[in-house]
Amino acid sequence: MTPARAVVLVVLFLLGALIGIAGALLQGGWFPGGLLLALLGTAGLFHGGARLTGNRSGALAPAAGWLVAVILLTTTRPEGDFVFGAGVGSYLFLLGGMAVAVICATLGLAQQPPASTARLGK
């Protein structure tokens, strides 16, 4: 692992945490549209990270950041406040985000054969 790759993965982790926080606030504030927008943003980041790095670690780094942020937001504070309500939207965001993370991390990228083996005439 090169230092540049490590920096990219750390940035993806932080972006995943940011998307988790933004999605948690958005899905609760604007229910049907906000939930869809939050899940689409999550999927875009996970898939974009996999495309950027060229392997599954690009999807796993933002997924880990998203999961850490979302889990920390589900805990109650001493004052009794919490971000997630006990509604259907919150559960759909949690389960949908985890499903998107698993899908993006396990599907992988379609590998093209090298140009030299793909051309039969040479």
Side-chain angles (χ1 to χ4, degrees), residues 38-66:
L39 288 176
L40 285 175
T42 302
L45 178 64
F46 296 166
H47 184 69
R51 286 269 190 204
L52 177 68
T53 61
N55 59 14
R56 292 181 176 140
S57 65
L60 291 175
W66 181 88

PDB file of all heavy atoms in Angstrom, residues 38-66:
ATOM      1  N   ALA A  38     -30.749  10.253   0.400  1.00  0.00           N
ATOM      2  CA  ALA A  38     -29.677   9.807   1.286  1.00  0.00           C
ATOM      3  C   ALA A  38     -29.116   8.460   0.836  1.00  0.00           C
ATOM      4  O   ALA A  38     -27.894   8.258   0.826  1.00  0.00           O
ATOM      5  CB  ALA A  38     -30.184   9.710   2.719  1.00  0.00           C
ATOM      6  N   LEU A  39     -29.987   7.547   0.448  1.00  0.00           N
ATOM      7  CA  LEU A  39     -29.511   6.238  -0.005  1.00  0.00           C
ATOM      8  C   LEU A  39     -28.808   6.332  -1.361  1.00  0.00           C
ATOM      9  O   LEU A  39     -27.827   5.621  -1.597  1.00  0.00           O
ATOM     10  CB  LEU A  39     -30.669   5.248  -0.068  1.00  0.00           C
ATOM     11  CG  LEU A  39     -31.202   4.795   1.292  1.00  0.00           C
ATOM     12  CD1 LEU A  39     -32.403   3.888   1.118  1.00  0.00           C
ATOM     13  CD2 LEU A  39     -30.120   4.098   2.097  1.00  0.00           C
ATOM     14  N   LEU A  40     -29.277   7.208  -2.231  1.00  0.00           N
ATOM     15  CA  LEU A  40     -28.595   7.394  -3.516  1.00  0.00           C
ATOM     16  C   LEU A  40     -27.209   8.023  -3.329  1.00  0.00           C
ATOM     17  O   LEU A  40     -26.263   7.657  -4.009  1.00  0.00           O
ATOM     18  CB  LEU A  40     -29.443   8.252  -4.450  1.00  0.00           C
ATOM     19  CG  LEU A  40     -30.645   7.556  -5.076  1.00  0.00           C
ATOM     20  CD1 LEU A  40     -31.474   8.553  -5.875  1.00  0.00           C
ATOM     21  CD2 LEU A  40     -30.208   6.404  -5.942  1.00  0.00           C
ATOM     22  N   GLY A  41     -27.108   8.974  -2.406  1.00  0.00           N
ATOM     23  CA  GLY A  41     -25.803   9.558  -2.107  1.00  0.00           C
ATOM     24  C   GLY A  41     -24.844   8.541  -1.519  1.00  0.00           C
ATOM     25  O   GLY A  41     -23.659   8.518  -1.854  1.00  0.00           O
ATOM     26  N   THR A  42     -25.367   7.693  -0.666  1.00  0.00           N
ATOM     27  CA  THR A  42     -24.556   6.631  -0.072  1.00  0.00           C
ATOM     28  C   THR A  42     -24.068   5.669  -1.148  1.00  0.00           C
ATOM     29  O   THR A  42     -22.886   5.317  -1.186  1.00  0.00           O
ATOM     30  CB  THR A  42     -25.389   5.880   0.991  1.00  0.00           C
ATOM     31  OG1 THR A  42     -25.822   6.824   1.967  1.00  0.00           O
ATOM     32  CG2 THR A  42     -24.596   4.808   1.667  1.00  0.00           C
ATOM     33  N   ALA A  43     -24.974   5.247  -2.012  1.00  0.00           N
ATOM     34  CA  ALA A  43     -24.600   4.323  -3.083  1.00  0.00           C
ATOM     35  C   ALA A  43     -23.593   4.962  -4.031  1.00  0.00           C
ATOM     36  O   ALA A  43     -22.645   4.303  -4.482  1.00  0.00           O
ATOM     37  CB  ALA A  43     -25.838   3.888  -3.849  1.00  0.00           C
ATOM     38  N   GLY A  44     -23.779   6.243  -4.332  1.00  0.00           N
ATOM     39  CA  GLY A  44     -22.842   6.937  -5.206  1.00  0.00           C
ATOM     40  C   GLY A  44     -21.444   7.010  -4.622  1.00  0.00           C
ATOM     41  O   GLY A  44     -20.458   6.807  -5.328  1.00  0.00           O
ATOM     42  N   LEU A  45     -21.355   7.270  -3.335  1.00  0.00           N
ATOM     43  CA  LEU A  45     -20.035   7.333  -2.697  1.00  0.00           C
ATOM     44  C   LEU A  45     -19.378   5.965  -2.650  1.00  0.00           C
ATOM     45  O   LEU A  45     -18.196   5.832  -2.963  1.00  0.00           O
ATOM     46  CB  LEU A  45     -20.150   7.909  -1.281  1.00  0.00           C
ATOM     47  CG  LEU A  45     -18.839   7.963  -0.505  1.00  0.00           C
ATOM     48  CD1 LEU A  45     -17.858   8.910  -1.178  1.00  0.00           C
ATOM     49  CD2 LEU A  45     -19.089   8.363   0.926  1.00  0.00           C
ATOM     50  N   PHE A  46     -20.121   4.939  -2.283  1.00  0.00           N
ATOM     51  CA  PHE A  46     -19.539   3.598  -2.189  1.00  0.00           C
ATOM     52  C   PHE A  46     -19.082   3.110  -3.565  1.00  0.00           C
ATOM     53  O   PHE A  46     -17.972   2.592  -3.718  1.00  0.00           O
ATOM     54  CB  PHE A  46     -20.538   2.611  -1.598  1.00  0.00           C
ATOM     55  CG  PHE A  46     -20.932   2.908  -0.170  1.00  0.00           C
ATOM     56  CD1 PHE A  46     -22.026   2.296   0.392  1.00  0.00           C
ATOM     57  CD2 PHE A  46     -20.226   3.803   0.611  1.00  0.00           C
ATOM     58  CE1 PHE A  46     -22.403   2.549   1.694  1.00  0.00           C
ATOM     59  CE2 PHE A  46     -20.595   4.084   1.908  1.00  0.00           C
ATOM     60  CZ  PHE A  46     -21.686   3.448   2.458  1.00  0.00           C
ATOM     61  N   HIS A  47     -19.934   3.265  -4.568  1.00  0.00           N
ATOM     62  CA  HIS A  47     -19.572   2.812  -5.908  1.00  0.00           C
ATOM     63  C   HIS A  47     -18.452   3.677  -6.497  1.00  0.00           C
ATOM     64  O   HIS A  47     -17.541   3.167  -7.146  1.00  0.00           O
ATOM     65  CB  HIS A  47     -20.801   2.835  -6.818  1.00  0.00           C
ATOM     66  CG  HIS A  47     -20.528   2.298  -8.179  1.00  0.00           C
ATOM     67  ND1 HIS A  47     -20.264   0.971  -8.406  1.00  0.00           N
ATOM     68  CD2 HIS A  47     -20.460   2.919  -9.384  1.00  0.00           C
ATOM     69  CE1 HIS A  47     -20.052   0.792  -9.701  1.00  0.00           C
ATOM     70  NE2 HIS A  47     -20.164   1.959 -10.311  1.00  0.00           N
ATOM     71  N   GLY A  48     -18.520   4.984  -6.259  1.00  0.00           N
ATOM     72  CA  GLY A  48     -17.460   5.867  -6.737  1.00  0.00           C
ATOM     73  C   GLY A  48     -16.114   5.573  -6.093  1.00  0.00           C
ATOM     74  O   GLY A  48     -15.077   5.645  -6.746  1.00  0.00           O
ATOM     75  N   GLY A  49     -16.129   5.228  -4.821  1.00  0.00           N
ATOM     76  CA  GLY A  49     -14.878   4.855  -4.157  1.00  0.00           C
ATOM     77  C   GLY A  49     -14.287   3.583  -4.732  1.00  0.00           C
ATOM     78  O   GLY A  49     -13.070   3.473  -4.909  1.00  0.00           O
ATOM     79  N   ALA A  50     -15.154   2.618  -5.048  1.00  0.00           N
ATOM     80  CA  ALA A  50     -14.667   1.381  -5.663  1.00  0.00           C
ATOM     81  C   ALA A  50     -14.102   1.657  -7.053  1.00  0.00           C
ATOM     82  O   ALA A  50     -13.076   1.099  -7.436  1.00  0.00           O
ATOM     83  CB  ALA A  50     -15.797   0.361  -5.737  1.00  0.00           C
ATOM     84  N   ARG A  51     -14.749   2.538  -7.805  1.00  0.00           N
ATOM     85  CA  ARG A  51     -14.248   2.896  -9.133  1.00  0.00           C
ATOM     86  C   ARG A  51     -12.930   3.674  -9.044  1.00  0.00           C
ATOM     87  O   ARG A  51     -12.036   3.479  -9.853  1.00  0.00           O
ATOM     88  CB  ARG A  51     -15.264   3.758  -9.865  1.00  0.00           C
ATOM     89  CG  ARG A  51     -16.431   3.015 -10.353  1.00  0.00           C
ATOM     90  CD  ARG A  51     -16.134   2.556 -11.739  1.00  0.00           C
ATOM     91  NE  ARG A  51     -17.342   2.024 -12.334  1.00  0.00           N
ATOM     92  CZ  ARG A  51     -17.308   1.170 -13.305  1.00  0.00           C
ATOM     93  NH1 ARG A  51     -16.163   0.782 -13.798  1.00  0.00           N
ATOM     94  NH2 ARG A  51     -18.418   0.701 -13.801  1.00  0.00           N
ATOM     95  N   LEU A  52     -12.841   4.556  -8.054  1.00  0.00           N
ATOM     96  CA  LEU A  52     -11.645   5.377  -7.907  1.00  0.00           C
ATOM     97  C   LEU A  52     -10.419   4.529  -7.597  1.00  0.00           C
ATOM     98  O   LEU A  52      -9.365   4.719  -8.193  1.00  0.00           O
ATOM     99  CB  LEU A  52     -11.857   6.417  -6.802  1.00  0.00           C
ATOM    100  CG  LEU A  52     -10.676   7.320  -6.479  1.00  0.00           C
ATOM    101  CD1 LEU A  52     -10.402   8.254  -7.640  1.00  0.00           C
ATOM    102  CD2 LEU A  52     -10.950   8.108  -5.218  1.00  0.00           C
ATOM    103  N   THR A  53     -10.561   3.610  -6.662  1.00  0.00           N
ATOM    104  CA  THR A  53      -9.416   2.800  -6.264  1.00  0.00           C
ATOM    105  C   THR A  53      -9.230   1.571  -7.142  1.00  0.00           C
ATOM    106  O   THR A  53      -8.149   1.004  -7.175  1.00  0.00           O
ATOM    107  CB  THR A  53      -9.550   2.348  -4.807  1.00  0.00           C
ATOM    108  OG1 THR A  53     -10.730   1.557  -4.669  1.00  0.00           O
ATOM    109  CG2 THR A  53      -9.586   3.526  -3.872  1.00  0.00           C
ATOM    110  N   GLY A  54     -10.283   1.136  -7.795  1.00  0.00           N
ATOM    111  CA  GLY A  54     -10.170  -0.030  -8.658  1.00  0.00           C
ATOM    112  C   GLY A  54     -10.342  -1.357  -7.951  1.00  0.00           C
ATOM    113  O   GLY A  54     -10.160  -2.403  -8.554  1.00  0.00           O
ATOM    114  N   ASN A  55     -10.666  -1.321  -6.665  1.00  0.00           N
ATOM    115  CA  ASN A  55     -10.912  -2.575  -5.943  1.00  0.00           C
ATOM    116  C   ASN A  55     -11.923  -2.344  -4.826  1.00  0.00           C
ATOM    117  O   ASN A  55     -12.460  -1.265  -4.664  1.00  0.00           O
ATOM    118  CB  ASN A  55      -9.613  -3.174  -5.405  1.00  0.00           C
ATOM    119  CG  ASN A  55      -8.894  -2.256  -4.462  1.00  0.00           C
ATOM    120  OD1 ASN A  55      -9.444  -1.281  -3.991  1.00  0.00           O
ATOM    121  ND2 ASN A  55      -7.638  -2.567  -4.192  1.00  0.00           N
ATOM    122  N   ARG A  56     -12.154  -3.377  -4.041  1.00  0.00           N
ATOM    123  CA  ARG A  56     -13.206  -3.327  -3.027  1.00  0.00           C
ATOM    124  C   ARG A  56     -12.872  -2.443  -1.842  1.00  0.00           C
ATOM    125  O   ARG A  56     -13.776  -2.011  -1.127  1.00  0.00           O
ATOM    126  CB  ARG A  56     -13.497  -4.741  -2.540  1.00  0.00           C
ATOM    127  CG  ARG A  56     -14.130  -5.564  -3.604  1.00  0.00           C
ATOM    128  CD  ARG A  56     -14.437  -6.946  -3.121  1.00  0.00           C
ATOM    129  NE  ARG A  56     -15.121  -7.657  -4.174  1.00  0.00           N
ATOM    130  CZ  ARG A  56     -14.911  -8.899  -4.465  1.00  0.00           C
ATOM    131  NH1 ARG A  56     -14.057  -9.607  -3.772  1.00  0.00           N
ATOM    132  NH2 ARG A  56     -15.573  -9.474  -5.442  1.00  0.00           N
ATOM    133  N   SER A  57     -11.608  -2.178  -1.612  1.00  0.00           N
ATOM    134  CA  SER A  57     -11.256  -1.336  -0.466  1.00  0.00           C
ATOM    135  C   SER A  57     -11.808   0.076  -0.634  1.00  0.00           C
ATOM    136  O   SER A  57     -12.074   0.759   0.351  1.00  0.00           O
ATOM    137  CB  SER A  57      -9.743  -1.293  -0.276  1.00  0.00           C
ATOM    138  OG  SER A  57      -9.120  -0.667  -1.377  1.00  0.00           O
ATOM    139  N   GLY A  58     -12.013   0.501  -1.870  1.00  0.00           N
ATOM    140  CA  GLY A  58     -12.597   1.803  -2.123  1.00  0.00           C
ATOM    141  C   GLY A  58     -14.055   1.883  -1.729  1.00  0.00           C
ATOM    142  O   GLY A  58     -14.575   2.968  -1.482  1.00  0.00           O
ATOM    143  N   ALA A  59     -14.741   0.760  -1.683  1.00  0.00           N
ATOM    144  CA  ALA A  59     -16.124   0.727  -1.204  1.00  0.00           C
ATOM    145  C   ALA A  59     -16.180   0.466   0.293  1.00  0.00           C
ATOM    146  O   ALA A  59     -17.096   0.931   0.976  1.00  0.00           O
ATOM    147  CB  ALA A  59     -16.918  -0.342  -1.947  1.00  0.00           C
ATOM    148  N   LEU A  60     -15.215  -0.277   0.809  1.00  0.00           N
ATOM    149  CA  LEU A  60     -15.233  -0.612   2.234  1.00  0.00           C
ATOM    150  C   LEU A  60     -14.837   0.562   3.123  1.00  0.00           C
ATOM    151  O   LEU A  60     -15.362   0.690   4.231  1.00  0.00           O
ATOM    152  CB  LEU A  60     -14.315  -1.801   2.508  1.00  0.00           C
ATOM    153  CG  LEU A  60     -14.787  -3.132   1.944  1.00  0.00           C
ATOM    154  CD1 LEU A  60     -13.741  -4.215   2.171  1.00  0.00           C
ATOM    155  CD2 LEU A  60     -16.104  -3.536   2.558  1.00  0.00           C
ATOM    156  N   ALA A  61     -13.932   1.413   2.661  1.00  0.00           N
ATOM    157  CA  ALA A  61     -13.500   2.547   3.485  1.00  0.00           C
ATOM    158  C   ALA A  61     -14.645   3.529   3.757  1.00  0.00           C
ATOM    159  O   ALA A  61     -14.901   3.866   4.920  1.00  0.00           O
ATOM    160  CB  ALA A  61     -12.312   3.251   2.835  1.00  0.00           C
ATOM    161  N   PRO A  62     -15.390   3.999   2.739  1.00  0.00           N
ATOM    162  CA  PRO A  62     -16.503   4.886   3.063  1.00  0.00           C
ATOM    163  C   PRO A  62     -17.634   4.158   3.791  1.00  0.00           C
ATOM    164  O   PRO A  62     -18.350   4.770   4.590  1.00  0.00           O
ATOM    165  CB  PRO A  62     -16.968   5.418   1.709  1.00  0.00           C
ATOM    166  CG  PRO A  62     -16.436   4.493   0.706  1.00  0.00           C
ATOM    167  CD  PRO A  62     -15.201   3.896   1.290  1.00  0.00           C
ATOM    168  N   ALA A  63     -17.791   2.864   3.531  1.00  0.00           N
ATOM    169  CA  ALA A  63     -18.822   2.105   4.243  1.00  0.00           C
ATOM    170  C   ALA A  63     -18.499   2.024   5.731  1.00  0.00           C
ATOM    171  O   ALA A  63     -19.393   2.130   6.575  1.00  0.00           O
ATOM    172  CB  ALA A  63     -18.958   0.707   3.656  1.00  0.00           C
ATOM    173  N   ALA A  64     -17.222   1.876   6.053  1.00  0.00           N
ATOM    174  CA  ALA A  64     -16.822   1.850   7.464  1.00  0.00           C
ATOM    175  C   ALA A  64     -17.056   3.203   8.119  1.00  0.00           C
ATOM    176  O   ALA A  64     -17.555   3.286   9.249  1.00  0.00           O
ATOM    177  CB  ALA A  64     -15.359   1.439   7.586  1.00  0.00           C
ATOM    178  N   GLY A  65     -16.725   4.290   7.427  1.00  0.00           N
ATOM    179  CA  GLY A  65     -16.974   5.623   7.959  1.00  0.00           C
ATOM    180  C   GLY A  65     -18.457   5.889   8.137  1.00  0.00           C
ATOM    181  O   GLY A  65     -18.888   6.466   9.142  1.00  0.00           O
ATOM    182  N   TRP A  66     -19.265   5.455   7.165  1.00  0.00           N
ATOM    183  CA  TRP A  66     -20.721   5.608   7.254  1.00  0.00           C
ATOM    184  C   TRP A  66     -21.259   4.836   8.455  1.00  0.00           C
ATOM    185  O   TRP A  66     -22.073   5.359   9.213  1.00  0.00           O
ATOM    186  CB  TRP A  66     -21.356   5.104   5.962  1.00  0.00           C
ATOM    187  CG  TRP A  66     -22.837   5.229   5.919  1.00  0.00           C
ATOM    188  CD1 TRP A  66     -23.551   6.303   5.495  1.00  0.00           C
ATOM    189  CD2 TRP A  66     -23.795   4.248   6.320  1.00  0.00           C
ATOM    190  NE1 TRP A  66     -24.896   6.039   5.604  1.00  0.00           N
ATOM    191  CE2 TRP A  66     -25.067   4.784   6.108  1.00  0.00           C
ATOM    192  CE3 TRP A  66     -23.697   2.958   6.829  1.00  0.00           C
ATOM    193  CZ2 TRP A  66     -26.227   4.088   6.391  1.00  0.00           C
ATOM    194  CZ3 TRP A  66     -24.852   2.255   7.117  1.00  0.00           C
ATOM    195  CH2 TRP A  66     -26.100   2.828   6.898  1.00  0.00           C
TER     196      TRP A  66
END
